Amino acid sequence: MDLAQQQSLLGSPVAGEAIQQQVTALRAQLAEHNHRYYVLDAPTLTDAEYDALYRELVTIETQYPSLVTADSPTQRVGDEPREGLTSVRHPVRMMSLSNVFNKEELDAWAQRLLDAEMPPSDEAATPRFVAELKLDGLAVSLIYENGLLTRAATRGNGKQGEDITANVRTIGSIPLKIPVTPAADSPPVPEVLEVRGEIVMPNAAFIKLNKSQETAGLKPFANPRNAGAGSVRQLDPAITAARQLDAYLYAAHALEQSDTDPSGYNPSPINVAHTHWQTLETLAAWGFKTNAVKVPCATTDDVMAVITEWDAKRHDLPMMSDGMVIKTNHIGWQQRLGFTAKSPRWATAWKYPPEMKTTVVNEVLLSVGRTGVITPVADLVPVQLSGTTVQRASLHNYEELAKKDVRAGDTVWVHKAAEIIPEVIKVELDKRPADTLPIPEPTECPICQAETYRREGEVALRCSNHMGCAAQVQSRLEHWASKRAMDIDHVGPALIEQLLDNDLLGGPEDFYTLTAEQLLTLERMAEKSAQNVLAAIQLSKQQPLSRVLVGLGIRHVGQEVALLLSQRFPSIEQLQAASAEALAEIDGVGPKVAASVKDYLEQPATQQRLTRLAELGLTLTEPINELADKGSNALEGHSIVVTGTLPTLGRSDAEALIRLHGGKPVKSVSKKTSAVVVGENAGSKLDKAESLNIPIWSEADLLAAIKQEGPS
Ligand SMILES: [Zn+2]
């Protein structure tokens, strides 16, 4: 047998020393370029040159798979989508910061520090404070072992966060291996190092993401922080990679491995520097990105000057910032000061007050929702507000509108409620043009011209044409297909609008008779997408009765009530036969909801619709009938994880069943988990359960465990 044959038998050819050296050199070159590009913003290679080097490395690694290492730049997106995020313990608690809102509070905070006195021998450790811009992102903990990134976690509740390692690996500015470019004067990297900082979504990436969300018919994100948090918690790292996140690091300490601490590390952090300022310099030397705005300050007056300077300037930065973090520079002093229950005493955050601006109202538009509620919305001359362009602001309802008396042509003050939702605060009456009129309450629906009305005791104005109003029909169909109802993939607002425009859809039942030929008549609809849509619609027929009840949009019936109803009356026939009294007796339902359900079910239109849905093959039963009518304490004290596809129960049904019988359904496997109920295609949770020796149950085991004790 010659060498080539041997190699092909082994599955992976053996690389010679020259090849290994070449791979090492390529990786170093790519890592350095990455650092220059993402961290220093000073690239020396063109994109084409970088791509050529990258492809060269990919080619060699494909030929010699045994050479692939975790820190290879080709491995940033290597992981398959996961089923859920696992929870991990922080070796050292991740605290949040206390806030100050004015100079007096800042001085009071500083005085408490000065009262505690800096250790005299460390008087040289000046300046006293460091002010850094507070980035509006997501706190992250990174652990490096022997210089390699081994774990990344969210803050979570401070003690426990979620493992987001695979996603964080996709962030270009986070090094997979440190130091990125070893220099003679860079401090040695501890064997185990924890680095902390903030993951942010740059404004440009946020705008791009929301545009693509809109095009795809998906809901836009409210702000970069939400979008960033959503992106970093994606189950598929490829999605995180596409979201162009960035990271700024501000803290570091060494750790020791521990066999006894549940986090796997000794909870006493070891300093890597003498001052906070040095820590930032050290982080930069190792290859991390640190805050661009960081200023040493001797006094709180100096701090105030920085705060004032950046109040306006922060809006020109490529990411959102909502304040300034002020830290005691000297780390020995930090340790002496310690922590309160919630936050460190040696640091605080200045919060900039929410931004207010004036703009002009073009007109007041009306929007009609699923239940016919007509909401007045101010259409504004676009204005930059807390980092985003605001063009619409809800006026909530006509009572509110009348109170604020907002008119077309008015100059108004706007802000973002909770820094997120644009809102009109008040009108500048001095600037009101002479010829304006108050906005009257509409007597007709702006979409279908039907009469408007108010339900007793409600402020909302509604369109009375419940069945025929195009706006209501559209949003009801969107609701039917939505995640919380029938969860039909590939069927979003844009497609529903197209179907309505082409008269292919009237009520939810029409989804189930759509054909590929019909879908292909729609603009921009390809064969493959049509098949995906039809498959998703077919799949939704298996949704249990509770989902159908949510989808129908019965007044007062959300996910929770729907489950209560269908657990007590597990088929549509039983539910229809139940009296209003019987419905009201269900724990958590009550007479008001019962009356609404009864009224809805008795309408002839409802009965026709339900008959039609049954003919079309929808599941109008709840699968957990046998055990669900009565709760028990059979699972009391048990934390149970459900993973994979179970033979008969949906995951949320199984979890509801566990709850009903006194157990606690949990999402991630830990030492405290009592059992893991495993179905088909179970992923990492099964592996973890096996490694922790946690009992593995089938669906049958779960049902048996409940039956054993019998309903109480
Ligand atoms: Zn209408």
Side-chain angles (χ1 to χ4, degrees), residues 417-471:
E419 288 281 289
I420 294 174
I421 306 147
E423 223 173 39
V424 172
I425 307 167
K426 62 169 183 160
V427 175
E428 277 280 284
L429 289 173
D430 302 349
K431 294 192 178 156
R432 174 168 282 173
D435 54 351
T436 63
L437 292 169
I439 308 276
E441 201 173 284
T443 52
E444 294 183 345
C445 168
I447 305 292
C448 72
Q449 281 73 47
E451 241 177 81
T452 57
Y453 75 107
R454 253 195 197 83
R455 287 177 179 162
E456 215 180 297
E458 286 190 359
V459 288
L461 190 72
R462 290 171 194 263
C463 159
S464 59
N465 183 9
H466 190 62
M467 298 314 283
C469 178

Side-chain angles (χ1 to χ4, degrees), residues 89 148 202 269 312 321 412 428 566 601 627:
R89 269 194 102 77
L148 292 179
S321 153
V412 290
E428 277 280 284
S566 55
L601 291 175
L627 293 161

Side-chain angles (χ1 to χ4, degrees), residues 477-489:
L477 291 167
E478 286 172 17
H479 175 74
W480 177 269
S482 72
K483 281 241 169 311
R484 55 189 183 283
M486 301 301 276
D487 195 8
I488 311 180
D489 271 348

Side-chain angles (χ1 to χ4, degrees), residues 68-73 75-76 148-149 169 176:
V68 179
T69 55
D71 64 317
S72 174
Q75 299 304 300
R76 281 195 180 264
L148 292 179
L149 174 65
R169 293 174 65 85
L176 300 178

